[in-house]
Amino acid sequence: MLIKNLKIYTIDGSFRDGELAVANGIFVQASSQQNEEIFDGQGLYAIPGLVDLHLHGALGGDASDGFMKALEKMASYELSQGVTSICPTTMTIPLGELKVAIRTIKEFANKNVHHASRILGINMEGPFISPVKKGAQKEQDILKADVGIFQELNDECGGMIKLVDLAPEMDGSLEFIVSVKDKVRISLAHTNASYEEASKAFAIGAKHVTHLYNAMPPLHHREPGVIGAAFDSADVKCELIVDGVHSHPSVVRASFALFGYERIILISDSMRATGLADGEYTLGGQKVVVKGNEARLEDGTIAGSVTNLMNCLRKAVQFGIPLGQAVYSASTNPAIALGVDDELGSLDVGKIADFVLLDEDLNIKAVYLAGEKI
């Protein structure tokens, strides 16, 4: 297959006029194609499929449910929105339920369900967090960071855990980081850590910050906290939810200026109400009320989002972020963070042909998974 007349994304955050060639689900050199199907791209943007490494649910399904049908709903919805790869994200739930959830994710990934986003791994948001900044997580299920528990869970899902979130100021967290930093990506999350505590965690192996600004102390000129420590740690990447609720547009622009688009990872943090109507839902066993673009616990605490990553990309552009930089943060950068950028996250020859065609208003015109039009 050859698609001509496209504006093609490049990993320097720009676009070039050109064509895409695909053979056997892989991007190939256009000149190597013989008797290919040829299509006119009509000047559309071609971007790599988006990679959401932090999402809980959609269309009524949740990664913590432990049901194959819930995962199928999520993954099918995400693919329809141009999110071709995902890391289903679990919550702070009882250990027995967590085992069921991650085992089910492994089984779903092994089934290779048709017309569903590919599963890259599992993001474990909790239970190793701080009760002071628990957000929408249940305090009674919070646990001390424990290498034995992590290993037991990782064995349960065949080594699929790619991220573990924790609060570095909690007892046992620093020892945990040192022990598992070479096995999994450590993210600071739901934390009340000081600048010094966060800096130490980054120095010994943490490389990530979960939903920057949310569930952590604010950036203060005398107490910079996790945000300041992340800025001073050049190899740390920061997740950012750009849904118009979690962070003000000015803060989104400031974040890209402060960290650079190469260190920002756009995420959705979507919960099960995503794609559905307003009403009452659950997240991590707690009641959530959804109204418009907001999802909140009964006490008013924000409880994830009701958006998808493609809409976050559109919001970022609406807020003033150049399209190429937003794409890098929503595809290339998460692929790098997960260690799969040799296969995903760009349109380079030799990589898996997951890509999306967008018009100039960023409406989806086509989604391709491994070269197959969905």
Side-chain angles (χ1 to χ4, degrees):
M1 176 179 67
L2 180 69
I3 307 178
K4 295 186 172 184
N5 187 21
L6 293 169
K7 297 184 183 72
I8 297 175
Y9 164 82
T10 62
I11 60 170
D12 65 0
S14 65
F15 288 83
R16 63 174 176 82
D17 293 335
E19 56 195 17
L20 282 180
V22 177
N24 300 315
I26 303 295
F27 292 118
V28 296
Q29 292 285 357
S31 60
S32 69
Q33 293 289 288
Q34 298 293 329
N35 302 315
E36 67 275 278
E37 292 181 286
I38 301 176
F39 302 96
D40 182 0
Q42 302 177 334
L44 296 172
Y45 289 109
I47 67 171
L50 304 190
V51 179
D52 197 347
L53 56 70
H54 187 152
L55 75 167
H56 297 280
L59 286 189
D62 189 288
S64 294
D65 288 346
F67 298 128
M68 296 287 280
K69 194 66 178 177
L71 293 168
E72 185 173 351
K73 286 180 179 179
M74 286 175 56
S76 297
Y77 168 81
E78 294 299 331
L79 183 59
S80 76
Q81 302 302 308
V83 184
T84 54
S85 298
I86 60 175
C87 275
T89 304
T90 56
M91 293 281 289
T92 299
I93 56 178
L95 196 56
E97 294 179 19
L98 188 53
K99 288 181 180 179
V100 172
I102 63 174
R103 185 168 61 245
T104 305
I105 295 170
K106 178 192 74 171
E107 293 170 357
F108 180 81
N110 290 340
K111 279 187 66 175
N112 194 24
V113 176
H114 192 57
H115 284 189
S117 298
R118 66 179 77 251
I119 307 296
L120 297 181
I122 297 168
N123 183 346
M124 207 170 82
E125 186 183 9
F128 308 141
I129 61 174
S130 167
V132 177
K133 291 290 184 179
K134 64 183 183 297
Q137 310 264 2
K138 288 178 72 175
E139 184 169 349
Q140 58 264 44
D141 295 322
I142 292 174
L143 299 174
K144 170 186 172 181
D146 185 288
V147 175
I149 291 175
F150 163 74
Q151 194 59 57
E152 185 179 351
L153 291 168
N154 209 26
D155 290 345
E156 193 77 33
C157 63
M160 285 188 65
I161 298 175
K162 300 300 181 184
L163 296 106
V164 171
D165 298 1
L166 56 71
E169 73 277 17
M170 301 300 290
D171 185 35
S173 290
L174 296 183
E175 294 83 357
F176 181 90
I177 293 171
V178 171
S179 296
V180 305
K181 65 180 181 180
D182 296 327
K183 299 178 181 178
V184 68
R185 189 173 182 86
I186 304 293
S187 183
L188 303 196
H190 292 274
T191 171
N192 201 37
S194 66
Y195 172 87
E196 291 75 19
E197 289 169 327
S199 294
K200 186 169 185 180
F202 292 138
I204 63 174
K207 301 294 183 186
H208 203 94
V209 177
T210 295
H211 44 50
L212 190 67
Y213 307 115
N214 294 278
M216 66 185 63
L219 178 65
H220 187 278
H221 59 288
R222 285 190 296 273
E223 297 178 5
V226 176
I227 301 164
F231 173 73
D232 282 343
S233 304
D235 58 349
V236 170
K237 298 182 187 296
C238 300
E239 299 175 3
L240 190 63
I241 309 168
V242 185
D243 62 348
V245 175
H246 284 78
S247 295
H248 189 279
S250 177
V251 173
V252 172
R253 292 188 290 273
S255 300
F256 273 80
L258 185 67
F259 289 94
Y261 69 91
E262 302 94 335
R263 294 179 60 195
I264 295 290
I265 296 177
L266 295 184
I267 63 164
S268 69
D269 196 19
S270 64
M271 51 90 67
R272 72 170 77 246
T274 301
L276 300 177
D278 291 357
E280 294 184 0
Y281 299 89
T282 61
L283 178 67
Q286 299 184 90
K287 178 181 173 182
V288 176
V289 178
V290 173
K291 186 175 182 181
N293 63 345
E294 295 187 9
R296 295 183 181 271
L297 300 182
E298 291 180 285
D299 65 4
T301 301
I302 294 177
S305 84
V306 287
T307 192
N308 60 67
L309 187 55
M310 185 62 77
N311 279 336
C312 289
L313 182 148
R314 294 185 182 109
K315 280 285 188 185
V317 173
Q318 180 186 332
F319 293 165
I321 306 304
L323 176 59
Q325 294 185 15
V327 173
Y328 189 101
S329 297
S331 183
T332 307
N333 218 14
I336 292 171
L338 293 170
V340 295
D341 52 307
D342 59 334
E343 295 184 319
L344 302 170
S346 75
L347 305 177
D348 295 341
V349 169
K351 294 193 177 182
I352 298 172
D354 292 354
F355 64 103
V356 184
L357 302 183
L358 304 172
D359 66 19
E360 61 182 18
D361 295 319
L362 306 187
N363 297 307
I364 294 175
K365 308 308 289 185
V367 177
Y368 292 81
L369 187 70
E372 180 185 355
K373 188 174 182 181
I374 305 303

